[in-house]
């Protein structure tokens, strides 16, 4: 059974390797420049792993993967982590679950990083990170993670949404987050075509050439592919075991042409069978990135168990007025 990463309240197992001995449970003095307190870790602890759930507007970024110019989400998050933890980039070992492209958004990107010390609370570091990050990037959650957890390799499935605004005039408030189609789309045939993607297939025909030297496994499983109508807005929701480079945008591009009734729905299994990207290029190019959003990532239950001896998940904190500042009359 798999669970979304934001699941909370799972019972904590006994995990001795993460416990801090009572002789070392002495908090360091609170530094005025530090927004958090650190507990000294014992020598037997190789490090502590922390899971982040991150939301971002990808409009002004060159994707997730680290590069300094133009800026990426990973680069900006690392800069903030370095300032808050006082650690070097090589020590943090920040890893993201999905390498989203330039212009692609996320509501549920997951990442993990490592520190040589434990925290007694995560609310301070959470507030400090969001205070340093630009307003279009936000850490939604911080939680302790078991050593076996890996943001990328532990993922069981990923959910992406692609939004299409299907009207003659574009809603200006949707322009950064939905693709504008002035063609009236036939959603019925799009739904028929989307069902052809469901199941275990070789998606070589729907993958652009990878930007690195790794050769990914082209066989992926699509658990669902829904076309949801919300007035002028169409939301394409796809959940899969994993996705190849630009696979989702390529699938959406083909569905758009099918929705225009330029090609029939049964072209999908025909293109899949060829395992040839050049065959898809005869019908469609990749859909624009700004309509795509990484919504959530699911993991097995045991990977979300909080280790013993570590603080609770931080979902952020609200500020309260401690006393009335208005005079009484």
């Amino acid at each position: 059974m798999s669970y979304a990463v934001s699941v909370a309240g799972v019972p904590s197992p006994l995990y001795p390797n993460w416990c801090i001995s009572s002789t070392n449970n002495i908090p360091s003095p609170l530094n005025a420049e530090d927004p958090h307190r650190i507990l000294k870790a014992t020598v037997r602890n190789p490090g502590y792993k922390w899971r982040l759930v991150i939301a971002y507007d990808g409009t002004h970024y060159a994707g997730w993967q680290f590069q300094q110019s133009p800026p990426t989400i990973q680069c900006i998050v690392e800069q903030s982590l370095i300032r808050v933890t006082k650690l070097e980039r090589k020590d943090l070992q920040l890893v993201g679950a999905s390498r989203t492209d330039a212009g692609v958004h996320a509501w549920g990107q997951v990442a993990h990083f490592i520190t040589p010390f434990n925290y007694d609370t995560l609310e301070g570091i959470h507030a400090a990170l969001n205070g340093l990050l630009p307003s279009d990037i936000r850490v939604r959650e911080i939680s302790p993670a078991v050593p076996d957890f890996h943001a990328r390799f532990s993922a069981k499935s990923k959910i992406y949404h692609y939004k299409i605004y299907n009207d003659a005039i574009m809603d200006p408030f949707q322009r950064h987050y939905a693709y504008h189609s002035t063609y009236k789309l036939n959603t019925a045939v799009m739904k028929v075509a989307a069902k052809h993607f469901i199941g275990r297939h070789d998606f070589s025909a729907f993958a652009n050439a990878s930007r690195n030297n790794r050769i990914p496994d082209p066989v992926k499983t699509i658990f669902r592919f829904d076309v949801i109508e919300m007035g002028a807005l169409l939301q394409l929701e796809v959940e899969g075991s994993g996705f190849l480079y630009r696979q989702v945008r390529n699938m959406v591009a083909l569905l758009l042409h099918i929705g225009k009734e330029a090609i029939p729905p049964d072209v999908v299994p025909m293109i899949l069978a060829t395992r040839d990207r050049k065959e898809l290029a005869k019908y469609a190019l990749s859909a624009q990135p700004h309509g795509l959003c990484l919504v959530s990532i699911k993991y097995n239950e045991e990977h979300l168990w909080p280790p013993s001896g570590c603080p609770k998940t931080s979902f952020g904190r609200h500020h309260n007025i401690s006393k009335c500042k208005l005079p009484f009359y």
Side-chain angles (χ1 to χ4, degrees):
M1 184 177 296
S2 61
Y3 290 79
V5 71
S6 58
V7 171
V10 182
S12 173
L14 182 63
Y15 206 96
N17 290 339
W18 275 68
C19 294
I20 298 176
S21 65
S22 58
T23 56
N24 286 321
N25 262 348
I26 305 171
S28 302
L30 188 62
N31 189 323
E33 297 180 355
D34 290 339
H36 52 276
R37 297 169 68 197
I38 296 171
L39 295 181
K40 297 178 181 178
T42 59
V43 176
R44 62 190 174 89
N45 276 324
Y48 295 84
K49 188 172 285 188
W50 311 97
R51 180 171 51 242
L52 303 174
V53 180
I54 308 170
Y56 49 84
D57 179 335
T59 303
H60 302 296
Y61 299 96
W64 165 266
Q65 193 67 9
F66 179 85
Q67 64 183 57
Q68 291 183 331
S69 180
T72 63
I73 306 296
Q74 182 178 1
C75 178
I76 300 298
V77 172
E78 281 184 351
Q79 289 174 359
S80 298
L81 279 170
I82 288 168
R83 289 185 63 182
V84 171
T85 64
K86 307 297 190 290
L87 297 172
E88 299 295 328
R89 178 174 184 261
K90 61 180 177 61
D91 299 319
L92 290 168
Q93 300 179 46
L94 180 69
V95 176
S98 183
R99 299 174 179 178
T100 54
D101 278 345
V104 175
H105 314 293
W107 173 249
Q109 171 72 286
V110 178
H112 74 256
F113 69 97
I114 295 171
T115 62
F117 44 72
N118 194 8
Y119 289 98
D120 60 352
T121 177
L122 292 174
E123 288 188 344
I125 183 176
H126 195 172
L129 282 175
N130 283 335
L132 291 169
L133 288 168
S135 59
D136 51 5
I137 305 175
R138 278 295 172 266
V139 174
R140 292 174 49 215
E141 299 175 24
I142 303 182
S143 59
V146 293
D148 289 341
F149 174 81
H150 192 283
R152 186 184 309 155
F153 300 129
S154 299
K156 301 301 294 182
S157 71
K158 300 176 182 179
I159 299 174
Y160 282 90
H161 289 181
Y162 194 96
K163 292 184 178 180
I164 303 166
Y165 196 79
N166 191 201
D167 200 1
I169 306 299
M170 181 61 179
D171 179 347
F173 296 102
Q174 296 283 348
R175 71 190 188 281
H176 292 312
Y177 312 106
Y179 170 76
H180 183 207
S181 174
T182 54
Y183 292 90
K184 187 60 179 177
L185 299 174
N186 184 336
T187 56
V189 294
M190 291 176 71
K191 291 176 182 178
V192 172
K195 290 185 183 300
H196 289 302
F197 288 114
I198 298 174
R200 185 175 173 83
H201 304 287
D202 184 323
F203 283 95
S204 297
F206 288 86
N208 285 24
S210 179
R211 292 167 294 181
N212 52 47
N213 295 324
R214 297 187 305 108
I215 301 176
D217 181 5
V219 178
K220 306 294 179 184
T221 301
I222 302 298
F223 302 113
R224 65 182 181 92
F225 204 146
D226 302 319
V227 179
I228 299 172
E229 300 176 68
M230 299 179 289
L233 194 66
L234 295 182
Q235 186 161 282
L236 278 57
E237 301 183 0
V238 57
E239 179 177 359
S241 60
F243 297 95
L244 301 171
Y245 179 45
R246 291 197 179 175
Q247 179 185 333
V248 176
R249 288 167 57 189
N250 288 332
M251 293 190 296
V252 168
L254 187 62
L255 289 181
L256 278 167
H257 280 274
I258 292 170
K260 295 173 186 177
E261 299 183 333
I263 49 178
D266 57 8
V267 75
V268 175
M270 183 271 289
I271 295 175
L272 277 170
T274 67
R275 303 179 183 179
D276 186 354
R277 177 67 179 83
K278 294 179 181 178
E279 191 63 30
L280 175 63
K282 296 177 183 178
Y283 300 92
L285 300 176
S286 293
Q288 293 295 310
H290 66 279
L292 186 61
C293 181
L294 172 61
V295 174
S296 66
I297 301 173
K298 294 182 179 180
Y299 296 89
N300 284 336
E301 179 183 0
E302 59 268 22
H303 284 140
L304 300 180
W305 281 338
S308 61
C310 285
K312 295 180 180 179
T313 298
S314 171
F315 298 97
R317 60 187 176 192
H318 294 280
H319 293 280
N320 298 312
I321 298 176
S322 58
K323 62 176 73 174
C324 183
K325 297 184 183 298
L326 297 175
F328 291 99
Y329 294 99

